[in-house]
Amino acid sequence: MSKIKVATIWLDGCSGCHMSFLDMDERIIELAQHMDIVYSPYVDAKDFPENVDLTIVEGALSTDHDLKIIKTIRQNSKKILALGDCAITGNISAMKNLVGTDAVLEKGYFDLADFNKGKYPSKIVPKLLDKVIPLNEAVDIDFFVPGCPTPADAIYEVLKGVIEGVEVDVSKYTRFGL
Ligand code: SF4
């Protein structure tokens, strides 16, 4: 059986869902026999590749860069998996929406800054969107795997299902605030 090409990316999330991926432990070796990781924080690829079979996305969309990359991912991925509650609902990342972008920038660059107080980010820093949004508000998503973080067992079952072409019910892994 040929290997599927898998990418993973971490947008506005805390990396906890990528840590859960690593928590699959020795099962990663089993999965690696059926998939190649072609782009990810786990490997050293610089540009998002073409013709990816599955891209796993952690985190919500908070910046103009996030919006740009998710559209690139959609164009180059057969399937996209939203990994974790930030990607699916906005979750922790979307708490900014309660106060708004201006208040967040003011808190970070005026009130709490120790250095360069009062200097807003340079133009090379991606611009914050007015509102943090989940992935499916920008592009179509094929799989949703919830959790904060997503449990390693759920990630394993879903990846095994994708490899075998079998649909997997992950509702038993859904948990809130645990
Ligand atoms: S869902 Fe939870 S663990 Fe995953 S990126 Fe968001 S805050 Fe982190």
Side-chain angles (χ1 to χ4, degrees):
M1 193 195 299
S2 62
K3 291 186 174 186
I4 60 168
K5 290 200 274 181
V6 176
T8 84
I9 189 165
W10 154 19
L11 299 178
D12 191 2
C14 73
S15 88
C17 289
H18 268 78
M19 292 298 137
S20 276
F21 189 103
L22 296 177
D23 280 343
M24 287 191 289
D25 300 326
E26 71 278 4
R27 290 173 293 182
I28 294 174
I29 297 167
E30 175 197 327
L31 293 174
Q33 292 170 40
H34 305 285
M35 60 188 212
D36 279 329
I37 303 286
V38 293
Y39 180 92
S40 172
Y42 308 131
V43 300
D44 195 28
K46 303 293 183 218
D47 298 314
F48 196 84
E50 296 179 344
N51 296 319
V52 176
D53 292 304
L54 174 71
T55 300
I56 300 170
V57 184
E58 169 191 321
L61 307 173
S62 296
T63 67
D64 54 359
H65 176 265
D66 293 340
L67 264 185
K68 195 171 160 204
I69 189 78
I70 198 67
K71 286 176 183 167
T72 301
I73 287 168
R74 183 66 280 178
Q75 279 168 2
N76 293 288
S77 307
K78 290 182 192 145
K79 303 279 183 194
I80 297 179
L81 184 155
L83 183 69
D85 293 347
C86 291
I88 296 171
T89 68
N91 193 34
I92 305 287
S93 307
M95 287 174 73
K96 171 174 93 73
N97 297 344
L98 296 172
V99 293
T101 301
D102 288 345
V104 167
L105 287 172
E106 197 168 312
K107 182 60 81 179
Y109 287 89
F110 282 82
D111 295 355
L112 301 177
D114 290 325
F115 302 102
N116 294 328
K117 203 175 185 77
K119 281 195 174 173
Y120 277 128
S122 84
K123 288 188 178 144
I124 60 168
V125 177
K127 191 170 172 296
L128 290 178
L129 302 176
D130 291 340
K131 194 173 163 231
V132 176
I133 56 172
L135 305 183
N136 71 320
E137 286 194 21
V139 295
D140 290 336
I141 299 297
D142 302 283
F143 305 113
F144 297 86
V145 187
C148 181
T150 306
D153 289 347
I155 300 171
Y156 172 72
E157 281 203 31
V158 168
L159 288 180
K160 206 159 163 281
V162 169
I163 289 164
E164 293 169 356
V166 175
E167 197 169 316
V168 174
D169 176 10
V170 291
S171 58
K172 67 181 173 190
Y173 294 112
T174 303
R175 57 187 187 181
F176 296 100
L178 296 175

